[in-house]
Amino acid sequence: MSELALTIVRLAFLGLLWAFVLGTVIVLRRDIRQPADASTASRASKGSKKRTPKAPKPPRVSRKQKVRGTKLVVIDGPLVGTVVPLEGQQVTIGRAPDSTIVIDDDYASSRHTRIYESEGSWVVEDLGSTNGTWIDRVRITTPTVLPVGAPLRIGRSTMQIQK
């Protein structure tokens, strides 16, 4: 192979490497700016006008339906089987050592979420976490009533309030 042909092959290989790196960076930037749950919603509404997604409304609980849970139980994840009694106190969840439930998970923030009592029901509030707090496959953005038995997902852990 001549010197010129070898140089052209090397430059072409270098160009392909740079194209791969730039493609990877573009995909990562898009994924960081547009989380997976928002991308599926935008794909579903491609043919229609662009709409801003509304935050889910907290479920209405009538006085007859109010069933108070007495404990928070971890049902999936590294702390499976952990039970925290709910006695009118606030429960904090995160990686911080002073949290009520300390989750050693890369997908949980230091101060991820808190659960507190309000008007006879338990309310869960996301504290600005990166990966979000999920109730039954719905990401919450505002304080939301947590019904008894509904799965609360934080990182790789799932918990629920039980009687």
Side-chain angles (χ1 to χ4, degrees):
M1 221 177 195
S2 71
E3 183 92 19
L4 179 63
L6 188 59
T7 303
I8 290 174
V9 169
R10 286 179 181 168
L11 288 175
F13 181 70
L14 186 63
L16 284 173
L17 281 176
W18 274 108
F20 175 75
V21 169
L22 289 175
T24 304
V25 169
I26 290 169
V27 168
L28 288 174
R29 280 188 65 191
R30 185 183 62 218
D31 286 349
I32 289 172
R33 289 184 181 209
Q34 185 180 27
D37 59 327
S39 66
T40 55
S42 68
R43 284 186 203 135
S45 65
K46 267 205 168 166
S48 62
K49 295 179 183 177
K50 289 189 177 181
R51 298 177 188 165
T52 53
K54 294 181 181 178
K57 293 181 181 178
R60 294 186 179 244
V61 180
S62 70
R63 291 183 183 205
K64 291 180 183 177
Q65 290 177 332
K66 285 187 183 176
V67 179
R68 291 191 39 101
T70 58
K71 58 188 173 184
L72 180 67
V73 180
V74 180
I75 58 172
D76 190 24
L79 298 174
V80 68
T82 303
V83 178
V84 176
L86 301 172
E87 300 167 348
Q89 63 188 13
Q90 173 176 288
V91 175
T92 57
I93 303 168
R95 290 185 312 186
D98 61 341
S99 297
T100 309
I101 299 178
V102 179
I103 299 176
D104 186 23
D105 187 350
D106 292 337
Y107 297 105
S109 299
S110 298
R111 307 230 184 284
H112 197 97
T113 191
R114 73 181 179 126
I115 300 172
Y116 59 93
E117 184 180 14
S118 176
E119 299 178 9
S121 22
W122 295 104
V123 177
V124 62
E125 178 183 12
D126 186 81
L127 300 175
S129 65
T130 304
N131 294 312
T133 302
W134 301 77
I135 296 177
D136 199 19
R137 297 185 183 176
V138 176
R139 185 175 183 164
I140 63 166
T141 56
T142 60
T144 305
V145 173
L146 182 60
V148 173
L152 171 68
R153 190 169 48 103
I154 298 168
R156 293 186 181 117
S157 299
T158 305
M159 14 194 123
Q160 64 183 192
I161 292 181
Q162 297 178 353
K163 291 183 183 180

